[in-house]
């Protein structure tokens, strides 16, 4: 698509390549969903909140920081606009508007689909943002309509029918709205049934059941592991304790054996493991909390003293695998860092290898 950017003259120096970036992102979304590439996109960058609000309809008071219609979007300019969350979110929504989607007809898709695209590049960060909220809502039996639930529904849709299926689902909704039948509930249900085999109401039930089962199963397994580890410490049974540690990580075996020695000499401590991200190959990333005496689970969720720990999936369930490190490999060295620091690791690796070879 051709992208036209309209901004204050003093912002021009910060926007080199901005139009090309939007065009590329939009094209990638279109290619992923098998839809049209669009013709022209007008992007208006307003200098401040006041200018933004004066430029949109007074009938839309709920709009916070983005305005989107087919072929155009309005955002508030900042020096970080090119790398902002709001830009990524807006480009996906612009595609949906161009296809014909009315955000009020499938609001969970309007808000959830951008998160799915972000999840492709930042899977752990996106899941960490939403899974704790989703898990708490499920445990409290709340059917809350939040950004977390929108992401969960869109995630389930993708798991069920794949990218091609999601593209077809979107296209059919767009055609319905273009024909002026956005409010036709029978036609809406027909789209759900044709693409998913169930009507709209059943889809809502199905995605909630999917996440309920997934999170409840994970939590039950983690609870059992926490009890096993605590019982082994209380009984001074290092053999049983070490069975809970990933045997493929020798350094971790030594570290955990040392931890066991310290823990067995002190008063028993109760730990709670909460899932925050599902990783490839069945592994899981958790937050590990120390549970104070007489504190319930909802309070545990609010504890600030917590560590992120990965558990690997084996034949006998989960085992403790320590912090979630990403590996950056060179010819001679491997650098293990937190998953948010892989760019830094790649940057220093060549210099580290030069020092190593001296």
């Amino acid at each position: 698509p051709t992208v036209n950017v309209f901004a204050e003259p003093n912002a021009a120096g910060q926007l080199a390549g901005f139009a090309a970036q939007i065009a590329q992102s939009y094209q990638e979304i279109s290619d992923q969903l098998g839809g049209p590439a669009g013709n022209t996109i007008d992007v208006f960058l307003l200098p401040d909140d006041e200018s933004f609000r004066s430029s949109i309809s007074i009938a839309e008071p709920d709009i916070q920081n983005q305005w989107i219609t087919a072929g155009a979007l309005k955002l508030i300019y900042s020096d970080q606009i090119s790398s902002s969350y709001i830009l990524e979110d807006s480009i996906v929504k612009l595609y949906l508007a161009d296809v014909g989607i009315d955000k009020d007809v499938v609001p969970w898709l309007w808000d959830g689909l951008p998160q799915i695209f972000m999840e492709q590049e930042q899977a752990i960060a996106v899941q960490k943002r939403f899974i704790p909220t989703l898990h708490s809502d499920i445990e409290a039996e709340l059917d809350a309509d939040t950004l977390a639930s929108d992401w969960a529904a869109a995630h389930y849709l993708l798991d069920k029918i794949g990218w091609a299926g999601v593209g077809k689902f979107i296209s059919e909704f767009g055609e319905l709205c273009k024909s002026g039948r956005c409010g036709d509930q029978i036609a809406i249900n027909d789209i759900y049934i044709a693409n998913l085999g169930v009507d709209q109401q059943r889809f809502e039930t199905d995605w909630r059941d999917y996440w309920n089962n997934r999170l409840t199963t994970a939590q039950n397994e983690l609870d059992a592991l926490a009890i096993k580890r605590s019982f082994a410490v209380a009984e001074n049974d290092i053999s049983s304790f070490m069975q809970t540690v990933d045997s493929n990580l020798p350094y971790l075996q030594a570290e955990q054996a040392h931890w066991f020695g310290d823990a067995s000499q002190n008063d028993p401590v109760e730990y709670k493991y909460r899932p925050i991200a599902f990783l490839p190959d069945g592994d899981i990333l958790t937050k590990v909390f120390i549970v104070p005496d007489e504190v319930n689970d909802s309070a545990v969720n609010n504890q600030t003293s917590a560590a992120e720990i990965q558990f690997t999936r084996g034949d006998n369930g989960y085992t403790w695998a320590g912090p979630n490190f990403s590996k950056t490999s060179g010819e001679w060295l491997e650098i293990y860092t937190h998953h948010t620091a892989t760019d830094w690791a790649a940057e220093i690796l060549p210099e580290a290898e030069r020092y190593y070879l001296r």
Side-chain angles (χ1 to χ4, degrees), residues 152-165:
H155 188 107
Y156 173 75
L157 179 74
L158 179 61
D159 277 358
K160 191 168 180 65
I161 61 178
W163 282 111

Side-chain angles (χ1 to χ4, degrees), residues 73-115:
L73 63 89
K74 294 180 181 181
L75 301 170
I76 300 172
Y77 173 76
S78 74
D79 291 342
Q80 293 78 41
I81 188 71
S82 296
S83 57
S84 66
Y85 162 85
I86 194 68
L87 180 64
E88 293 183 65
D89 183 79
S90 297
I91 295 172
V92 179
K93 290 176 178 176
L94 178 64
Y95 174 85
L96 293 175
D98 286 348
V99 172
I101 294 286
D102 184 322
K103 65 180 180 180
D104 294 325
V105 177
V106 275
W108 61 268
L109 185 65
W110 181 266
D111 287 322
L113 188 65
Q115 314 310 318

Side-chain angles (χ1 to χ4, degrees), residues 75-344:
L75 301 170
I76 300 172
Y77 173 76
S78 74
D79 291 342
Q80 293 78 41
I81 188 71
S82 296
S83 57
S84 66
Y85 162 85
I86 194 68
L87 180 64
E88 293 183 65
D89 183 79
S90 297
I91 295 172
V92 179
K93 290 176 178 176
L94 178 64
Y95 174 85
L96 293 175
D98 286 348
V99 172
I101 294 286
D102 184 322
K103 65 180 180 180
D104 294 325
V105 177
V106 275
W108 61 268
L109 185 65
W110 181 266
D111 287 322
L113 188 65
Q115 314 310 318
I116 302 304
F117 273 96
M118 292 179 207
E119 192 178 358
Q120 291 187 103
E121 301 296 328
Q122 305 174 54
I124 292 176
V126 171
Q127 290 192 54
K128 282 170 59 178
R129 182 183 180 193
F130 296 128
I131 282 181
T133 299
L134 184 68
H135 194 186
S136 296
D137 287 348
I138 286 173
E139 289 183 324
E141 298 182 354
L142 296 176
D143 291 339
D145 291 323
T146 63
L147 188 57
S149 68
D150 294 337
W151 163 79
H155 188 107
Y156 173 75
L157 179 74
L158 179 61
D159 277 358
K160 191 168 180 65
I161 61 178
W163 282 111
V166 172
K168 180 173 176 287
F169 184 78
I170 290 169
S171 177
E172 291 182 13
F173 260 108
E175 290 301 319
L176 184 70
C177 287
K178 285 179 179 178
S179 68
R181 301 169 62 205
C182 269
D184 186 338
Q185 191 59 50
I186 293 176
I188 289 172
N189 272 330
D190 286 345
I191 293 174
Y192 275 92
I193 292 168
N195 289 276
L196 294 158
V198 296
D199 63 16
Q200 184 178 9
Q201 185 174 358
R202 180 56 186 270
F203 171 77
E204 175 81 10
T205 300
D206 285 354
W207 78 253
R208 291 187 185 277
D209 285 347
Y210 166 83
W211 281 107
N212 185 14
N213 293 336
R214 191 175 190 188
L215 287 166
T216 300
T217 298
Q219 188 63 66
N220 288 343
E221 291 189 52
L222 290 169
D223 287 346
L225 184 64
I227 291 171
K228 182 176 181 180
R229 285 170 62 88
S230 294
F231 185 77
V233 171
E235 295 295 309
N236 199 25
D237 183 354
I238 191 169
S239 176
S240 294
F241 180 83
M242 295 308 294
Q243 290 174 13
T244 71
V245 181
D246 190 330
S247 60
N248 295 313
L249 302 170
Y251 75 90
L252 185 65
Q253 292 269 314
E255 176 187 291
Q256 285 284 288
H258 180 76
W259 184 91
F260 175 89
D262 288 343
S264 61
Q265 300 301 314
N266 296 306
D267 292 336
V269 175
E270 181 184 354
Y271 290 91
K272 184 75 172 181
Y273 310 155
R274 299 285 291 181
I276 57 174
F278 292 96
L279 307 176
D281 302 320
D283 295 353
I284 193 168
L285 186 64
T286 71
K287 274 198 174 181
V288 175
F289 301 87
I290 295 176
V291 182
D293 292 340
E294 299 179 0
V295 173
N296 60 33
D297 284 355
S298 63
V300 169
N301 287 333
N302 295 321
Q303 297 299 308
T304 56
S305 178
E308 288 186 9
I309 298 296
Q310 180 172 342
F311 290 84
T312 50
R313 166 65 75 184
D315 293 339
N316 297 315
Y318 291 123
T319 52
W320 181 286
N324 175 242
F325 288 131
S326 294
K327 180 172 71 174
T328 303
S329 299
E331 185 176 358
W332 300 98
L333 299 177
E334 294 176 343
I335 298 178
Y336 291 83
T337 60
H338 190 264
H339 62 85
T340 60
T342 52
D343 289 345
W344 173 81

